[in-house]
Amino acid sequence: MEPSSDAPSSQATPIGTAEPVAQAVPTATPTNAEVPPLPHKSDSKGHGTANLLNHMPICVKNPNRKTLKGQQTLAFEPKMDGEEGFQLVPTTFTVEASRKALAEMDIIDELPFRFVEGYGFQRYATTLQPKLRIRDIPSRQTVARDVIGIYGVEREKLRGALKGRRVCLTTDTWTSIQNLCYMSLTGHFIDDDWKLHKRILNFCQVEDHKGETVGRKIELCLREWGITGIFTLTVENASSNGATIKFLENVTKDWEGTILEHEFLHMRYCAHILNLIVGDGMKEIDASIAKVHEAVRYVKSSPNRNQTFVGFVERLGIESKSLLCLDVPTRWNSTYLMLETAQKFEKVFIRMDFEDDSYSSYFMNKENSGGSLYVTANTFFDEMFVIQENISHLSKSQNHLLKNMATKMESKFDKYWGKGDKMNHLLYVAVILDPRKKLRFLNFCFSEIYGNEVADVMVELVRDALVKL
């Protein structure tokens, strides 16, 4: 019988004989596209959530990596952006975070670096946070390095914030008791959120107070910060400051942020000039105020003297809830408050002059020896108008003393600001931009003080300045 067509072509091998080795048949190698996918095997140990949780604290791309270390604790922290109240947030203790906070505390509270090495502070710190060991508290040298590091970081942040900004500057110079000259430079600018910022840009020693010396120092500081736009420079009314303004006008007129070739660069200290004006008027009665000042100063100089004063008040049966207060030269309302309260205790001071030997000797020795948020430009004009109107009214007073005082103050006012034409017109522009005032308010104020003719001229000057800007 013939074999089936499905049977192998070779003859059957007898039982007991070795089976021949089959020859290898060449096969085609499949391409990558033809390789069948391997079956997916899910391993709970290698591909579960535990592995993901273990990876999160060490992942360099995780922005919250530092806060995931250790056991977290719920804590109340103040809300951001000036909002009132607190928010509950998870926190975790780290030595690095406490070290940074320690350096920031040293800066904010102006503490000496050595305070961190005091045993009392170290014990107190470890009591607040048991996880913090005394050996983890840095030394004074480490704190000093951390402070310098924070300064570098904050400096770069401020440099970035100032980039492309137009800045208003305020500068001041003075001489210390060691006869050394110092200068400070403060910058004011508005950010993208229309928030006003005030930052000290420089605090340094200068060779002298000459205008060119100060101007060169300001220019160098601006270049270091990368500031290319100056809007105004506010300076005191010293003659040397005029040279400072001229120098900066020349060296910065080609900067990209210059406005109208620095036509409105110079800004005078309004408060300083007003203080000079009031000071001239107060000279008429300065001797009387000085006596009241010394009397109040005597009482408030020690607890024993104050107790003696209270004893005289009780003996004379004077009932008053107000207390004596000492004036401050740059705060005029404090002078008024001092005089107002002292007047109520006039009988007490008279009795002390008779009965308190130390009080009378204090004045005898004096005779023998011979001896302050956010202020904005638009608010100054209200105060200026009220002061100027009162001065003008008092200069026509029938009271000879008040008339002399007001006349001297009016003369000083005209010296610095004239009929408003000597003032930097940017201050008027700020009033116009206030929607509560606008140009009509300026017109009204000028008319009340100088008359309609002067008001028309000043309004046109301010309108021209606004158009130029």
Side-chain angles (χ1 to χ4, degrees):
M1 182 177 65
E2 295 181 359
S4 171
S5 60
D6 295 333
S9 57
S10 59
Q11 296 180 354
T13 304
I15 298 174
T17 61
E19 184 177 356
V21 178
Q23 295 181 352
V25 180
T27 57
T29 303
T31 63
N32 291 337
E34 296 173 346
V35 175
L38 296 174
H40 178 71
K41 294 182 180 180
S42 178
D43 184 3
S44 60
K45 292 184 178 180
H47 300 85
T49 57
N51 185 47
L52 180 62
L53 292 174
N54 292 333
H55 175 71
M56 286 174 62
I58 61 175
C59 180
V60 295
K61 294 185 179 181
N62 185 2
N64 302 316
R65 180 164 59 104
K66 294 183 179 180
T67 62
L68 293 172
K69 295 180 180 179
Q71 184 177 1
Q72 294 186 352
T73 306
L74 295 178
F76 288 98
E77 290 186 357
K79 292 184 178 180
M80 303 298 290
D81 299 329
E83 298 182 10
E84 295 183 357
F86 295 86
Q87 56 186 353
L88 189 64
V89 296
T91 62
T92 182
F93 170 77
T94 61
V95 175
E96 294 80 6
S98 66
R99 179 172 154 182
K100 181 183 178 183
L102 184 61
E104 291 174 347
M105 180 182 71
D106 190 88
I107 297 171
I108 295 171
D109 296 338
E110 300 179 0
L111 299 171
F113 295 145
R114 69 175 184 273
F115 91 99
V116 297
E117 297 180 351
Y119 176 72
F121 168 76
Q122 293 179 347
R123 182 182 176 188
Y124 174 71
T126 54
T127 303
L128 291 177
Q129 177 52 262
K131 294 181 180 179
L132 179 66
R133 297 165 296 183
I134 290 182
R135 65 184 183 185
D136 294 329
I137 300 176
S139 64
R140 69 178 75 179
Q141 291 84 2
T142 303
V143 172
R145 289 196 298 269
D146 290 345
V147 168
I148 296 299
I150 292 175
Y151 167 76
V153 172
E154 294 299 325
R155 182 180 176 87
E156 291 305 314
K157 287 182 182 179
L158 181 56
R159 189 190 298 275
L162 290 170
K163 188 176 182 180
R165 304 284 179 197
R166 187 174 289 112
V167 183
C168 293
L169 301 174
T170 302
T171 186
D172 192 15
T173 55
W174 66 94
T175 303
S176 68
I177 57 175
Q178 295 91 358
N179 204 30
L180 298 175
C181 301
Y182 289 92
M183 184 199 79
S184 67
L185 184 66
T186 306
H188 309 260
F189 64 95
I190 297 175
D191 62 13
D192 293 334
D193 297 325
W194 286 93
K195 291 183 179 180
L196 178 63
H197 293 269
K198 174 186 175 183
R199 297 289 185 272
I200 297 177
L201 302 179
N202 199 6
F203 182 92
C204 63
Q205 186 176 341
V206 292
E207 292 79 11
D208 50 58
H209 291 174
K210 294 180 180 178
E212 186 174 343
T213 303
V214 175
R216 289 186 183 279
K217 206 70 174 179
I218 294 175
E219 181 199 7
L220 179 62
C221 176
L222 296 176
R223 292 188 183 278
E224 288 178 353
W225 283 104
I227 297 175
T228 58
I230 312 174
F231 195 30
T232 61
L233 175 62
T234 304
V235 292
E236 285 186 348
N237 199 53
S239 57
S240 60
N241 287 330
T244 302
I245 295 294
K246 289 294 183 183
F247 177 83
L248 288 175
E249 284 178 348
N250 292 330
V251 299
T252 65
K253 62 182 180 181
D254 296 329
W255 290 11
E256 59 180 333
T258 300
I259 296 294
L260 297 175
E261 298 182 351
H262 288 321
E263 181 179 348
F264 304 113
L265 176 66
H266 188 189
M267 185 75 71
R268 299 175 185 268
Y269 271 143
C270 294
H272 178 70
I273 294 175
L274 285 175
N275 195 43
L276 294 176
I277 293 171
V278 174
D280 264 24
M282 297 291 280
K283 287 179 181 178
E284 289 290 316
I285 54 173
D286 190 52
S288 301
I289 294 179
K291 290 181 179 179
V292 177
H293 173 87
E294 291 300 331
V296 175
R297 184 179 181 182
Y298 170 84
V299 174
K300 296 182 69 66
S301 60
S302 73
N304 290 335
R305 291 176 177 178
N306 187 68
Q307 189 61 39
T308 302
F309 180 83
V310 172
F312 280 110
V313 171
E314 294 175 351
R315 284 171 53 188
L316 295 175
I318 297 176
E319 295 182 0
S320 177
K321 294 182 179 179
S322 58
L323 301 175
L324 292 176
C325 61
L326 202 59
D327 64 331
V328 180
T330 55
R331 297 183 63 183
W332 316 318
N333 62 328
S334 66
T335 303
Y336 170 78
L337 293 175
M338 180 189 70
L339 297 174
E340 183 185 35
T341 54
Q343 185 181 15
K344 299 176 182 178
F345 300 106
E346 183 179 2
K347 295 180 180 179
V348 179
F349 286 112
I350 294 174
R351 181 62 64 90
M352 287 178 65
D353 192 24
F354 283 109
E355 300 187 19
D356 189 351
D357 294 336
S358 60
Y359 178 78
S360 56
S361 62
Y362 174 80
F363 279 94
M364 188 177 298
N365 294 332
K366 282 287 182 181
E367 291 174 1
N368 293 335
S369 62
S372 336
L373 232 288
Y374 293 91
V375 179
T376 51
N378 65 307
T379 60
F380 98 97
F381 194 75
D382 296 4
E383 305 293 335
M384 185 77 68
F385 172 69
V386 172
I387 292 172
Q388 191 174 4
E389 192 177 36
N390 287 332
I391 292 174
S392 178
H393 176 72
L394 290 174
S395 64
K396 303 177 180 65
S397 174
Q398 299 298 322
N399 187 306
H400 183 70
L401 178 62
L402 293 178
K403 184 177 181 179
N404 288 342
M405 290 176 58
T407 301
K408 288 189 175 183
M409 296 168 75
E410 193 171 35
S411 175
K412 182 78 76 172
F413 199 101
D414 293 341
K415 173 185 176 182
Y416 288 115
W417 286 321
K419 295 185 180 300
D421 54 320
K422 294 182 180 180
M423 192 175 296
N424 191 319
H425 292 171
L426 286 180
L427 295 172
Y428 297 136
V429 171
V431 178
I432 296 173
L433 296 179
D434 189 334
R436 299 168 298 178
K437 298 181 176 67
K438 299 185 179 180
L439 198 58
R440 292 193 300 271
F441 181 74
L442 277 180
N443 194 4
F444 166 77
C445 294
F446 286 136
S447 300
E448 286 290 313
I449 299 175
Y450 305 116
N452 294 332
E453 185 176 349
V454 175
D456 292 341
V457 174
M458 285 302 303
V459 167
E460 282 303 313
L461 289 176
V462 175
R463 193 194 304 273
D464 291 343
L466 183 63
V467 172
K468 288 180 182 179
L469 290 170

